[in-house]
Each structure stands twice: as C-alpha cells, then as structure tokens.
Amino acid sequence: MDTGVTEPTPSGARALWVSTIAFAACFAVWTLFSILGLGVKAEFGLTETQFALLVATPVLTGALSRAVLGILSDRFGGRRMFLIVMLIAAVATFLMSFADSYLRLLLAALGVGLAGGSFAVGISYVSKFVPSDRQGTAFGVFSVGTAGAVITEFLAPVAMLEAGWRVAAQLWAAGLIVVALVFIFAARDEPGRGREAVMPTLAEQLRPLRNLQVWRFSLYYFVLFGAFVGLSLWLPRYFVGVYGLDVKLAGLLTAGYAIPASLFRIYGGRLSDRYGARAVLYWTFGASALLAFMLSYPPTDYVIHGVRGPIAFSTSMSLAPFVVTLLALGFFMSLGMAAVLKHIPTYYPENVGSVAGVVSMVGGLGGFVLPLVFGVLNDLTGVWTSCFFLLLLLSLTALVWMHFAIRRMELQPGVDRGELPELPEMASVHAARVAREAGAGALGKTIQRGPIADWRPEDPAFWETAGRPIARRNLWISTYCLLLAFAVWMVWSVVVAKLPAVGFNFTPDELFWLAALPGLSGATLRIFYSFVVPLFGGRLWTAISTASLLVPAFGIGYAVQAPDTPYLIFVVLALLCGLGGGNFASSMANISFFFPKAEKGAALAINAGLGNLGVSLMQFVVPLAVTIAIFGVLGGGPQSMSDGGQLWMQNAGFLWVPFILLGVALAWFGMDDLAGAKASFADQAAVFERLHTWLMCWLYLGTFGSFIGFSAGFPLLARLAFPEVDSLKYVFLGPLIGALSRAGTGWLADRFGGARISLLVFVAMTASAGGMIWFLDAGSFWGFFATVMLLFFFSGVGNASTFQMIPAIWRETVGRAGDAARADREAAAVIGFTSAIAAFGAFFIPKAYGASIAATGSANLALWGFMLFYLSCTGLTFAVYVRRGGLLYAVERQSAARAR
C-alpha cells in the first residue's frame, strides 16, 4: 500500500496509541449493556425478549454505523470523526441514566451503539500513518482497544452493585468525555489532509464493494469478531446458567476470555506481516473449529450393556477446563481478526474507510445476531452448548470457502503460481491494477468476470445469435428471485389471520397495521432500489437483495413461536418484510436493459407477472405448511390453538430459507452486468423533473397499487366481513389471477398500445369496485369474491400495459431529441420509481379498510374512495395519452397497424 509513509515516525506512533486508547474507551461503553442490562432488567421487570433486544441494540447500531463512519472518515478525516463519535456516544450514555421507560432505554441504546462504529474510523485514521509492511502489527495494536470490554466486565459489576446502574452509566459517560478531550489535543490530522486535498467521490469509495472478495472478508470477520463480541455478551449469562456463578465472578471470567482475544491481536498482526495473512487464517479457522467442537459437546450420560451388566459413565466439561479451552479459542480468534484486517489496506489503499467499514459492519452484525441466535438455540434445543456448535459450523464454512476460493485462483489458466500475490484469492484485484497501469484491460478480463460491454439488443443479428439466450437466462433467474421477494413481502397477509388462533391477543386494528406495514417499508425502499442497478450492477444487487430476505424469514419463524412476543417485535419484522417489496424496483429496472423495445413489454410482464405470483404461491402454500412439522425438531414445536388443534406457525418464515439461498447462488453465478447500464444517480435523477414521471406514478398506483394492496388486505377483510366462510382457502386465487393476467397479457400492450389497454382497464376496475360494494351490502360472499377476482384480473392487465407505456413515452420525449441511450436509462429509472410509489398501495389499502371499518363498521367508505380514484386514472389516461393529439395516439396506432 502506498500511504506516503515509508518508515515509522513519532507522529505515527502517537496516532496509533491515542487511537487505541480512544477505541478502548469506546469499546468499554459499547459493551456496557452486557453488565448494566442485568440491573435494568431487574428494575423494569423486562421479559427475556425485551432484555435481549436492549442488550443487542447498541451492538446493532455500532455494526450498521461502521460502513457510514468509514466512508465519512475517508472524506472528512478520522481525527474529526473520532471526536464526533465519542461525544455523541457519551451524551447518549449519560442520558440513559435518566430513562424512565423501556422505549427511552432503547433510544439511548441506539446512541450508545455509535461507540462501536469507532472501529472503522480508527482503521481509516491509523492506516494513513503506518507503512504497508507494518500495518498488520499496527492494526493488531489498535485492535487491543477491544480490551475496553475487559474494563467493563471487571469494573461495571462492582459499580452497579455499589451505586446502581444509573450512576455506573454516568461514570462511563464522564470517562468517555475525558478520553475525547485528551484525544483531540493529542491526535493530529492525517498526512496529506488539508484544504487542498481532493476528496474521493462516493462512487469511488463504493466501487471496491463490487468485489466478491470484500464480502468474503466480511464473512471471515463475522465469524471471528462477531463471535468475540457475541460471546462477550453471552458468556456472563452462560456462566450463571451452566455453572451457577454469581454475576461478579461471571464478569471476571468473561473478562479473562476477552483479554487474550484483545491483546494477542498484536501478535496476529506480526504473524500476518511476517508469514502472510492466509497462513494465519488457516490456523485460525482450523483451531477454532476444533476448540468449538470440544466446547459444543453437551454433558451426556452413556449406558453400555456389557458382559457383566450395564456400564454407565458420563462426559461433561467442568469449569476449569471450560475456561482454559475458552481462552485458547479467544487466542486463535484474535490472531485471525488481525489477519483479516491486514487484507484491507494492502488491496484497497484508496478505500480503507469504506472497505473496512463494510467488513467491520458485517463483523459487528455478528455481535448483534449471534447472542440472539444463541438464545433461540437454547429455547429450541434446550442445550446450553448449542452456541458453540453454531460457532463450529461457522468456522468450518469460512475455512472451506477460503480454501476452495484460493485453490480456484491458484489453478486459474494462464496464471503463474510463482507470481501470485500473498493471497491468491485477491489475484483479480492485482491483475486489474496491473492492467490499468499498463493501459490494457486484457489481463484483468482473463481473471475477473466483468460487465458485458458489447450489448446491442436492437441489432437483429446480435439479438438472435448472442443476445436472446443471455437475456432470457437473466430474466428467468430474476423472475425466480422476485417471486421469493413477493412471497416474503406479503407473508403477513396470511400470518395475521392465524395469529389470534394461536394465542396472540392483538386487536383488528393492530392486525391491519401488521398487514399494512410491509407495504409502507417496501414502497419506501423501492424509491432507493430504483436507482441502485446502474450504481452496483444487476448481478451483485440481485444477489444481495435476495439474501436480505433471510432476515425477516428467520425472524418470523422465531417470533411466532412465543405468544408473549411483544407487538413491537412483530412491527419490526413486518417492516423488514418490506425488503422483499423493494426488490421489485431494482429487478424491473435491471431486466429492462436486456431486451429490445419490441420485446420489452412482454419481458417486463413475465418478470413482474410471475414475480407477483409469489403472493399467490405464498397464500396457497403457507396455510398448508403451518399444519405440519416440516422441519421437525430443528424448526421448533407446534403452537396450540383455541379449538385444541396445533399449528407450526414458524413454517411461514422458515419455509422460504432454502429457496432464498438457492436464489442467491443463481443470481451470483448465473446473472450478468451490462456496462451500458451504468449511470450515476445524478444522471438518473433527471426523471424527477419530468411531468410524465409523476403522471405514470399516479396511473401505476391504480394498477399495481391495487394488486398489491388488495393482496395484503383481502384475506383479513374477507375473514372479518364473512366470518362464517373459511375464506383463506380461496384468497390465493386473487393474486394468482392478477399475476397470470399480467404475465399473459403483456403482448396486448406491445401490439395495440399500452395507453389504450390501460384506458379499458381503469373503466373495468371502476365497475369492479362498484360490484364489491353491491355484494358486500347484500352479504353475498361469492358475489363479493367474484368481483374481487375481476379487479385482480384487470389490475394484472393494467400492470403490464402501464409499464409498456413508460419506454414508449420516453422514446417520444427524450429519444426524439436524439439521445436514445439516455431515454433507455431514464425509462429504467422511471419503471423502478413508479413501482416504488405504487407499492404504497400495499399500505394504504389495508389501512383504508381498517379506518373505514373503525369509523363506519363497514369497508364501503374505502371502496367508494377507490372508485373515485379509478375514475381519475381513466380521465388522465384519455386526456394525456389516448385522445387524438395525445402523446401516444399516433405511435400506438402505427404499432397496431404494423402488427396487423
């Protein structure tokens, strides 16, 4: 790494030590809840779930903030950011002592968690002062700051027992402020930072995150650093529960684990500098797997039927060998943490903050996730040592992935093994750098898979010979991933109808909120997801966004198993399901780049229509899946119903996990990026200035907003309006009809024109809404059901036709000015953005039902509002696009004439 520093300097040594002290103070505050949480739990009478959430919240904030703080440190300087982080965390810690409710404790915990984000700030800051051949050691020294946890584990129990947890919080806040003042006077700005320094752009800082290697490093750090933080938080409870120790001794022994896991990071850095980080990681993961296996073996009684009778014996690990083995585990994990950090400045010298921020963010998330998973494993298995069995699996996964990645790079054709870098899995990064310096890209192309530069879908010869197979492969993988996204997004539409039967005493309004919240978060995320494909590439983003569905899938599976789970947890999980809703915008924008305009409407209809099918699939499968024990003991026991039956509600979430993992693999290994699809956010943001963007948002809200809103609200509305009918058997038919009609009618818009088809659709939807009101008043379930099915059908047709309108509108406006490429890029952005606005229908329609029922006792008021809205869409489509002289009048008639 070229830092501009070739030899150690006094200023570099001072920067290293003051940063280490500051990080130690931050880490002491970050882990404070592991001890003070016990006092808070007793004072406020918290449940186990509330206690776990409180302890984990600062860890989550510290993890998620690291990526942002790393980027800000690269841009504005680590010295300045370190001071800001310490002061904010100190104020939050002090205010925590005055909290008089659980909600205020959670808010304070969010601020306290920023202290954990200081790691990314410190890595960026220290890297600017230290020469490359000594950075492993330097980062090892800096990482000793994690010994701040030892301070907390040693002193916090004493302070809490002597003066109470509130006074202890104030003492830690005061200490952090003192350290912040010392730091600002002792530290110096990084070399080369001044007013004349050129700040990197955000795109330049984020560019390295496209490399798979960065995310592999993140997994390594998740396994190592995440386990360190997770065990630091979990071990006090483990010692108390397994060995019956008091809180003081439990804290002391936990500190004994944290000491080697902190101090020996220096040694790990030295070993990485001298022998290579790869060798250190092999030893780390191998030894960690062995030690985790030893710790995971539960106390077991054996009876052997021998010749002279039964021979009984038992195996268990007493306290002393447990502690020794634990110390050894901490030692090897500390070596590996330093080795992972060694990679970052070596291969990403200009992006240390952003890369270190992401890697440490994922590691910090391990500290948040693992304690929660440890508790869940205890509940599911009833075995305390299950936490170490999980660490065994994680260590083996990291070891196997690392080994095969290295072997794959070593065996890469055309690569001389003798010339490979220290870490062969990073060969693509080196090759790309060499190619740039030589002014040629051939070497990088032979090693690293890149975007397709030559993409000409409008060229018939290219399309028939090369383009169509690639486009179709990307389409079908995208459709599969989108189907899963819709299934997870709308899973609450079925879950809420089952919760009362298994003991959850939520009001109808609370249930409608749970059905509506995924729509709110999904629609909001779509606004951002609309613009990410040109920034990150469709292949990477599809893999990441699909993987994000694992979070709500696992969360629902665990939350529904306990009737005492707080409503707040369900609210959070409902919001997280919006991750599935956000995926639609990026998926549609990505696929729009692959197809020629003559087939774009049909391709988007297939992607969206079959993707929408996930709603129907979920509403059909989940009611069946919850009636059987699909996952056996691994999935948990059944929940008892009020009528004496049993349900496995957790299957509503767990069911999707294996399919999501398959989708991630398919996206990463089977999809492609298009170089021509790259664009900055500023280029795409021009769509906000165009009137047609907002007009199409209104129209698409009428079609897709209706489809997704009725999908979310119809199951619960039917259950409340017709309680005598087991309507959950039939509700899946609505989304099924809507999805199939969208996928099967895209050709109509391509042939006759999207605007003309949309006009007919809105007239039919107005009549369908009127039919719903008629049959609801008449008390006829089947009449009501039939009109809802009609509305689903026409909404599906309209989904395809309105999307077909967008490329046509932009070709007639932007494309007419001679910039066809810009028209295609903007049309893709508008497709995503309109889908974002339309997705708010998933929130407003269920909430409109709830508000109408609460105000009048019937859903009629909401349905009258829908009728008026469809009438406005009819008038808008006719006046702007369909009438003689409208924007698409001549275009659509010419297309229809050519089709005939």
Side-chain angles (χ1 to χ4, degrees):
M1 171 187 174
D2 184 13
T3 63
V5 180
T6 58
E7 294 293 336
T9 63
S11 61
R14 179 168 61 180
L16 175 59
W17 288 110
V18 296
S19 298
T20 302
I21 294 171
F23 179 53
C26 289
F27 211 87
V29 169
W30 193 33
T31 56
L32 188 58
F33 271 97
S34 64
I35 300 298
L36 298 195
L38 299 174
V40 173
K41 183 177 186 295
E43 179 177 328
F44 286 83
L46 304 181
T47 65
E48 292 295 329
T49 301
Q50 289 174 320
F51 171 76
L53 180 62
L54 180 63
V55 172
T57 295
V59 180
L60 178 62
T61 308
L64 295 179
S65 66
R66 288 182 172 189
V68 177
L69 292 175
I71 292 173
L72 294 177
S73 298
D74 278 350
R75 292 180 67 84
F76 303 112
R79 177 172 175 262
R80 181 185 305 173
M81 292 307 303
F82 226 138
L83 177 65
I84 293 173
V85 167
M86 285 191 283
L87 292 179
I88 293 176
V91 170
T93 306
F94 182 79
L95 293 177
M96 178 184 71
S97 65
F98 296 97
D100 57 0
S101 67
Y102 180 67
L103 179 60
R104 293 183 178 179
L105 283 170
L106 285 177
L107 292 176
L110 292 173
V112 172
L114 285 179
S118 62
F119 181 83
V121 179
I123 289 292
S124 175
Y125 181 68
V126 171
S127 69
K128 305 301 190 298
F129 288 92
V130 183
S132 58
D133 61 341
R134 303 196 181 188
Q135 285 178 343
T137 304
F139 290 154
V141 172
F142 173 76
S143 299
V144 170
T146 56
V150 179
I151 299 173
T152 296
E153 303 291 352
F154 266 121
L155 300 181
V158 177
M160 183 178 69
L161 294 177
E162 294 295 330
W165 69 268
R166 296 179 186 273
V167 173
Q170 294 171 2
L171 291 175
W172 261 247
L176 187 56
I177 290 177
V178 171
V179 172
L181 295 176
V182 172
F183 175 86
I184 197 59
F185 287 110
R188 296 290 182 268
D189 284 331
E190 300 95 315
R193 180 166 295 280
R195 294 184 178 180
E196 71 282 3
V198 178
M199 292 185 179
T201 65
L202 181 61
E204 290 172 342
Q205 291 180 283
L206 295 177
R207 188 174 296 119
L209 305 186
R210 301 176 182 176
N211 292 324
L212 177 62
Q213 293 90 342
V214 173
W215 301 99
R216 191 184 307 132
F217 299 159
S218 300
L219 171 68
Y220 301 164
Y221 212 61
F222 179 93
V223 176
L224 299 173
F225 180 77
F228 165 71
V229 176
L231 287 176
S232 296
L233 296 174
W234 180 253
L235 281 175
R237 182 169 177 76
Y238 187 95
F239 280 122
V240 172
V242 175
Y243 296 105
L245 306 181
D246 60 55
V247 67
K248 284 186 178 181
L249 184 55
L252 180 65
L253 292 176
T254 302
Y257 159 78
I259 288 174
S262 301
L263 296 179
F264 284 106
R265 294 178 78 162
I266 302 175
Y267 187 51
R270 290 292 298 271
L271 292 175
S272 298
D273 285 341
R274 185 170 182 178
Y275 300 107
R278 182 180 69 177
V280 174
L281 284 176
Y282 267 117
W283 278 100
T284 292
F285 290 130
S288 296
L290 175 62
L291 294 169
F293 172 77
M294 296 168 58
L295 293 169
S296 67
Y297 206 84
T300 308
D301 295 323
Y302 293 90
V303 177
I304 299 176
H305 298 281
V307 177
R308 298 182 180 88
I311 303 173
F313 64 95
S314 62
T315 60
S316 63
M317 184 176 286
S318 61
L319 180 60
F322 176 83
V323 172
V324 172
T325 309
L326 192 65
L327 292 176
L329 178 64
F331 168 77
F332 281 103
M333 297 180 85
S334 68
L335 301 184
M337 283 185 269
V340 175
L341 296 178
K342 170 69 176 176
H343 295 80
I344 297 171
T346 302
Y347 301 109
Y348 302 99
E350 306 301 327
N351 305 96
V352 174
S354 58
V355 176
V358 169
V359 172
S360 60
M361 176 191 72
V362 175
L365 285 174
F368 168 75
V369 171
L370 289 178
L372 298 179
V373 177
F374 293 165
V376 170
L377 289 175
N378 266 14
D379 292 337
L380 293 179
T381 66
V383 179
W384 277 102
T385 58
S386 57
C387 60
F388 294 106
F389 183 77
L390 175 62
L391 296 183
L392 166 64
L393 295 179
L394 291 174
S395 299
L396 290 175
T397 300
L399 177 62
V400 171
W401 191 8
M402 181 183 73
H403 177 73
F404 281 102
I406 291 170
R407 290 296 297 161
R408 185 172 63 250
M409 292 307 305
E410 288 178 338
L411 299 176
Q412 182 74 32
V415 177
D416 183 358
R417 292 186 58 176
E419 297 179 357
L420 286 174
E422 175 192 0
L423 295 173
E425 71 268 29
M426 294 301 293
S428 59
V429 177
H430 281 289
R433 185 181 305 159
V434 171
R436 286 196 302 270
E437 293 173 355
L443 179 59
K445 290 180 180 179
T446 62
I447 296 178
Q448 186 176 24
R449 177 181 179 180
I452 299 175
D454 182 21
W455 188 253
R456 294 171 280 114
E458 301 297 342
D459 181 347
F462 173 85
W463 179 248
E464 293 298 331
T465 58
R468 178 174 279 130
I470 295 174
R472 286 183 173 177
R473 168 164 45 81
N474 282 268
L475 171 62
W476 291 117
I477 295 175
S478 174
T479 300
Y480 173 80
C481 293
L482 189 57
L483 181 145
L484 296 175
F486 269 91
V488 174
W489 188 25
M490 289 289 104
V491 71
W492 282 102
S493 65
V494 171
V495 172
V496 293
K498 294 285 189 180
L499 288 178
V502 294
F504 290 92
N505 298 317
F506 298 146
T507 66
D509 189 55
E510 289 176 326
L511 294 174
F512 270 117
W513 266 107
L514 292 179
L517 284 175
L520 178 63
S521 59
T524 304
L525 286 173
R526 283 189 179 193
I527 297 175
F528 302 100
Y529 279 35
S530 302
F531 304 97
V532 295
V533 169
L535 295 175
F536 292 95
R539 171 173 165 258
L540 172 62
W541 187 255
T542 303
I544 293 175
S545 59
T546 302
S548 70
L549 303 177
L550 292 170
V551 178
F554 275 115
I556 292 172
Y558 292 126
V560 296
Q561 296 187 55
D564 58 348
T565 301
Y567 182 70
L568 176 63
I569 299 297
F570 284 101
V571 169
V572 172
L573 290 172
L575 290 171
L576 286 173
C577 282
L579 292 168
N583 289 6
F584 180 83
S586 56
S587 178
M588 295 296 285
N590 181 47
I591 291 302
S592 70
F593 287 112
F594 281 92
F595 286 84
K597 61 183 180 181
E599 299 183 31
K600 200 180 293 286
L604 293 176
I606 291 173
N607 189 54
L610 298 185
N612 293 167
L613 197 62
V615 180
S616 178
L617 178 68
M618 177 276 301
Q619 292 183 346
F620 175 76
V621 170
V622 168
L624 298 176
V626 298
T627 62
I628 55 177
I630 296 177
F631 300 98
V633 67
L634 294 178
Q639 297 83 53
S640 298
M641 300 175 63
S642 55
D643 61 2
Q646 290 183 328
L647 289 178
W648 285 262
M649 288 294 295
Q650 60 268 34
N651 292 347
F654 292 156
L655 175 67
W656 309 106
V657 171
F659 300 102
I660 292 171
L661 293 174
L662 175 61
V664 173
L666 289 173
W668 182 255
F669 295 107
M671 295 188 71
D672 300 282
D673 291 325
L674 298 180
K678 300 296 182 183
S680 67
F681 177 77
D683 291 337
Q684 300 176 80
V687 302
F688 298 130
E689 302 174 1
R690 305 194 188 281
L691 174 63
H692 292 291
T693 299
W694 304 103
L695 296 182
M696 291 309 302
C697 285
W698 187 262
L699 297 183
Y700 197 56
L701 180 62
T703 56
F704 180 78
S706 296
F707 169 83
I708 201 65
F710 277 91
S711 297
F714 178 53
L716 189 56
L717 174 64
R719 188 70 172 260
L720 295 176
F722 301 96
E724 70 281 0
V725 180
D726 188 7
S727 55
L728 288 183
K729 293 181 179 179
Y730 314 110
V731 294
F732 77 93
L733 290 172
L736 175 63
I737 290 172
L740 293 179
S741 68
R742 179 173 192 164
T745 60
W747 64 273
L748 287 173
D750 285 334
R751 180 170 183 177
F752 299 105
R756 293 198 288 178
I757 298 297
S758 296
L759 181 66
L760 298 176
V761 161
F762 288 126
V763 172
M765 292 179 70
T766 304
S768 298
M772 290 175 64
I773 297 173
W774 173 274
F775 288 111
L776 200 59
D777 289 339
S780 171
F781 171 77
W782 291 111
F784 176 75
F785 184 80
T787 53
V788 173
M789 295 303 104
L790 286 175
L791 193 142
F792 269 113
F793 173 81
F794 287 113
S795 71
V797 178
N799 286 338
S801 62
T802 49
F803 257 15
Q804 193 275 347
M805 291 171 63
I806 294 174
I809 292 170
W810 258 255
R811 286 195 298 270
E812 287 300 302
T813 53
V814 180
R816 288 276 183 175
D819 196 347
R822 182 179 181 87
D824 288 342
R825 287 196 300 269
E826 286 194 16
V830 173
I831 285 172
F833 183 69
T834 54
S835 74
I837 301 302
F840 280 106
F843 172 75
F844 289 120
I845 288 180
K847 281 306 299 171
Y849 286 151
S852 178
I853 291 173
T856 66
S858 168
N860 283 5
L861 184 61
L863 293 172
W864 278 108
F866 299 156
M867 283 186 64
L868 294 176
F869 176 72
Y870 297 145
L871 286 173
S872 73
C873 293
T874 304
L876 175 61
T877 305
F878 177 79
V880 179
Y881 300 111
V882 176
R883 67 175 177 83
R884 184 180 296 275
L887 182 65
L888 299 180
Y889 177 82
V891 175
E892 294 190 344
R893 277 154 181 77
Q894 291 173 4
S895 298
R898 285 196 299 269
R900 287 194 294 269

